[in-house]
């Protein structure tokens, strides 16, 4: 399912209909997805066999470069260039705006649902001064809309994640969900094949409302689901985190509702979690 | 040695480059982009090479500090080094091993062979009989539509329509149906 989204994104890129922010994410995806590379290279071959193929390729790549540079140069709420803005498969610019705005709003609105070092952000607090990181979840509604995830989500919802990292102490982020049976579903980084064991990707510091770009859909079982975000000082591998989840799961009696923290050394990161209900 | 570098030949506008003028950076892209793609293919595949070149020029457009690091001299070598570092960084992040030994720089001749092979298979399998001569002249011999229209006595607008439909069929043949 997710692979189909990536393939569609590559097709749209070569068709000239992929938004620039999504192109950045598509290029990054090429490094970790062999099937995506094959698809991309078939498009390259098609381009090359055309009578004007060389010129097409040259122009396509330049257009993409310029568009990406313009998107990435848009200042974020933190006033810094959007170094890590990643695209998604539809309406990235609208979502970027929504994500950034939601980043501001949800720091307060969602604060009560998240465990943070600094505690809840007081009403009226300047968010630039509130240095605790936060994470925000959006679900797709229809073809072109998103909305913040409240207390429930559907089992087939595509989820888009955005984060705010106003401080400078955390440089890496992992986002995953633990279902009612203790199963771990990875949102960030992608973990699609056993044995890959990817590391936590780098994120921006001193930035608010940064979307992670790719909408992700997992086949989630109906029931309680705990979404967990780990802001880290060093990149940990997913298998290490899954080991922590397993140990925490056992020590908390196999209850996702009770599993609010992992046995993670405090110096290594900050844990945020939120309990949701997955409904049919 | 430096006098043979392409940037010396074309004499880039260093001030414009440092200022981040899009037109100047586009000139550099047109001059060096293809060579940079071929060079990067020594470390990665062609898809990732495009990702690297994309990154390099996005960075050049956005990053004043990076542009300031170029103080004249061998621009091509400077670009190659940026591309090499980006390629290695991507490989590291993807937990992929960089090649132990660099392959020879890819030559367009290899790509041409592959392209000719797929065009020949497409011609045999998919091109209507009435359009085969046109296809051979346009896609294999790379003649212009004007030349072909004159030789075959077929209106150019007709050839335009044929080419458009053949291009779409070719896309499906290569992208959707290739094994």
């Amino acid at each position: 399912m997710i692979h189909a989204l990536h393939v569609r994104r590559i097709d749209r890129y070569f068709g000239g209909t992929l938004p620039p922010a999504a192109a950045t994410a598509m290029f990054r995806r090429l490094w970790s997805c062999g099937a995506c590379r094959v698809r991309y290279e078939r498009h390259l071959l098609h381009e090359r066999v055309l009578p004007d193929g060389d010129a097409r390729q040259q122009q396509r790549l330049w257009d993409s470069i310029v568009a990406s540079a313009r998107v990435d140069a848009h200042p974020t709420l933190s006033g810094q260039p959007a170094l890590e803005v990643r695209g998604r498969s539809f309406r990235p610019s609208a979502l970027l705006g929504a994500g950034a705005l939601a980043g501001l709003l949800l720091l307060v609105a969602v604060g009560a649902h998240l465990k943070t070092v600094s505690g809840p952000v007081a009403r009226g607090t300047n968010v630039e001064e509130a240095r605790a990181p936060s994470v925000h979840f959006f679900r797709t509604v229809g073809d072109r809309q998103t909305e913040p995830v409240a207390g429930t989500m559907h089992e087939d919802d595509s989820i888009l994640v955005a984060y705010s990292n106003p401080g400078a102490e955390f440089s890496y982020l992992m986002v995953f969900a633990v279902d009612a049976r203790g199963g771990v579903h990875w949102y960030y980084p992608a973990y699609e094949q056993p044995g890959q064991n990817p590391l936590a990707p780098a994120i921006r510091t001193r930035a608010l409302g940064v979307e992670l770009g790719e909408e992700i859909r997992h086949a989630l079982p109906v029931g309680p689901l705990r979404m967990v975000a780990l802001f880290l000082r060093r990149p940990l591998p997913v298998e290490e985190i899954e080991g922590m989840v397993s140990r925490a799961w056992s020590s908390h009696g196999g209850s996702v509702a009770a599993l609010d923290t992992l046995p993670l050394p405090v110096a290594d990161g900050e844990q945020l979690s939120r309990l949701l209900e997955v409904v049919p | 040695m430096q006098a043979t570098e392409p940037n010396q030949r074309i004499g880039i506008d260093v001030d414009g480059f440092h200022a981040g003028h899009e037109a100047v950076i586009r000139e550099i892209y047109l001059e060096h982009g293809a060579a940079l793609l071929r060079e990067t293919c020594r470390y990665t595949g062609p898809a990732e090479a495009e990702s690297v070149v994309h990154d390099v020029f996005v960075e050049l457009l956005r990053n004043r500090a990076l542009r300031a690091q170029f103080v004249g001299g061998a621009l091509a070598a400077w670009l190659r080094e940026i591309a090499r570092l980006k390629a290695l960084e991507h490989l590291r992040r993807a937990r992929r091993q960089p090649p132990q030994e660099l392959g020879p720089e890819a030559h367009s001749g290899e790509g041409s062979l592959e392209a000719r092979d797929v065009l020949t298979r497409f011609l045999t399998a998919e091109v209507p009989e009435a359009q085969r001569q046109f296809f051979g002249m346009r896609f294999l011999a790379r003649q212009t539509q004007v030349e072909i229209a004159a030789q075959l006595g077929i209106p150019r607008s007709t050839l335009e329509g044929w080419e458009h439909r053949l291009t779409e069929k070719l896309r499906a043949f290569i992208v959707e149906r290739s094994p």
Side-chain angles (χ1 to χ4, degrees):
Chain A
M1 184 67 75
I2 296 303
H3 175 67
L5 291 174
H6 294 305
V7 165
R8 187 181 66 174
R9 194 160 58 179
I10 292 168
D11 293 345
R12 290 180 64 196
Y13 170 70
F14 279 91
T17 60
L18 187 69
T24 303
M26 179 211 65
F27 276 122
R28 290 205 175 123
R29 177 86 187 167
L30 292 174
W31 293 88
S32 59
C33 172
C36 297
R37 289 196 290 275
V38 168
R39 186 76 173 189
Y40 194 97
E41 288 170 9
R42 285 181 183 174
H43 277 289
L44 285 179
L45 177 59
H46 173 245
E47 204 170 50
R48 196 162 62 238
V49 301
L50 300 180
D52 58 348
D54 290 346
R56 276 189 190 221
Q57 181 197 20
Q58 192 175 50
Q59 190 62 45
R60 168 186 51 77
L61 191 54
W62 175 251
D63 289 345
S64 176
I65 288 164
V66 171
S68 293
R70 286 175 181 161
V71 167
D72 287 358
H74 288 171
T76 64
L77 293 177
S78 63
Q80 294 181 336
L83 296 177
E84 295 294 332
V85 170
R86 300 177 69 181
R88 56 189 302 239
S89 58
F90 58 88
R91 291 195 71 194
S93 56
L95 191 70
L96 179 62
L101 181 60
L104 274 176
L105 298 176
L106 292 181
L107 274 173
V108 175
V110 182
H113 298 281
L114 299 175
K115 176 180 180 293
T116 69
V117 168
S118 305
V121 177
R123 183 173 296 168
T125 298
N126 182 332
V127 291
E128 291 286 2
E129 294 172 3
R131 302 181 66 80
S134 59
V135 66
H136 324 291
F137 303 107
F138 301 86
R139 58 187 287 268
T140 55
V141 181
D143 285 341
R144 304 177 71 82
Q145 300 294 323
T146 60
E147 65 179 24
V149 174
T152 62
M153 60 180 285
H154 295 284
E155 57 186 340
D156 58 349
D157 271 346
S158 291
I159 296 296
L160 191 111
V161 182
Y163 68 87
S164 294
N165 187 25
E169 57 267 62
F170 303 119
S171 301
Y172 302 90
L173 174 64
M174 305 178 97
V175 181
F176 58 93
V178 183
D179 66 32
R181 296 192 288 263
V184 180
H185 307 269
W186 282 95
Y187 288 88
Y188 202 64
Y191 183 33
E192 296 169 326
Q193 293 178 15
Q196 279 186 334
N197 199 20
L199 293 170
I203 57 170
R204 297 179 53 206
T205 57
R206 296 192 175 91
L208 304 180
V210 182
E211 63 163 314
L212 295 180
E214 298 171 9
E215 55 181 332
I216 298 171
R217 180 183 297 139
H218 285 301
L220 298 169
V222 171
L225 181 84
R226 184 167 289 283
M227 301 289 290
V228 181
L230 301 176
F231 287 84
L232 302 167
R233 290 183 171 84
R234 61 186 176 93
L236 295 178
V238 297
E239 288 179 3
E240 187 173 337
I241 299 302
E242 292 197 348
M244 293 178 185
V245 172
S246 177
R247 289 191 292 277
W249 179 258
S250 300
S251 65
H252 286 72
S255 166
V256 72
L259 182 73
D260 55 353
T261 60
L262 303 179
L264 186 70
V266 172
D268 277 337
E270 178 59 34
Q271 298 180 42
L272 312 175
S273 81
R274 184 175 175 193
L275 190 61
L276 301 173
E277 184 75 15
V278 178
V279 298
Chain B
M1 286 294 286
Q2 288 187 358
T4 62
E5 289 286 353
N7 64 301
Q8 302 289 320
R9 276 204 323 271
I10 63 173
I12 69 161
D13 173 2
V14 175
D15 289 340
F17 174 70
H18 284 161
H21 292 163
E22 188 177 306
V24 176
I25 295 174
R26 182 173 186 274
E27 284 300 312
I28 293 170
Y29 167 80
L30 294 175
E31 180 72 18
H32 297 284
L36 213 50
L37 279 172
R38 289 195 301 274
E39 172 70 17
T40 309
C41 280
R42 300 173 72 191
Y43 303 92
T44 70
E48 302 102 305
E50 286 219 343
S51 168
V52 168
V53 172
H54 182 272
D55 277 5
V56 168
F57 282 92
V58 168
E59 194 76 3
L60 288 178
L61 284 166
R62 285 175 36 203
N63 191 332
R64 181 196 302 264
L66 176 64
R67 294 193 300 269
Q69 290 174 19
F70 178 70
V71 291
L75 178 61
W78 186 70
L79 292 172
R80 278 199 302 271
E81 182 61 9
I82 296 172
R84 185 183 73 84
L85 293 174
K86 282 190 177 292
L88 295 178
E89 174 66 11
H90 276 297
L91 288 169
R92 185 188 65 77
R93 287 188 179 188
R95 302 174 70 84
R96 291 168 54 188
Q97 291 295 320
Q100 295 294 318
E101 293 183 11
L102 293 184
E105 185 174 316
H107 293 290
S108 59
E110 296 170 15
S112 297
L113 281 177
E114 184 184 18
R116 180 164 286 273
D117 173 64
V118 76
L119 285 172
T120 304
R121 286 191 288 115
F122 178 73
L123 175 63
T124 306
E126 300 285 338
V127 180
E129 185 64 40
Q131 298 175 15
R132 287 192 171 182
Q133 189 175 8
F134 163 72
F135 184 83
M137 297 167 81
R138 180 70 176 136
F139 286 77
L140 289 165
R142 300 295 169 112
Q143 290 183 252
T144 67
Q145 284 187 4
V146 173
E147 291 169 343
I148 299 169
Q151 290 179 37
L152 299 183
I154 297 174
R156 186 165 173 266
S157 59
T158 301
L159 300 183
E160 186 104 28
W162 287 1
E163 182 169 329
H164 177 73
R165 286 189 289 277
L166 286 168
T167 295
E168 285 308 301
K169 287 177 73 173
L170 194 50
R171 189 197 63 76
F173 182 79
I174 294 172
V175 176
E176 307 291 350
R177 282 183 266 157
S178 292

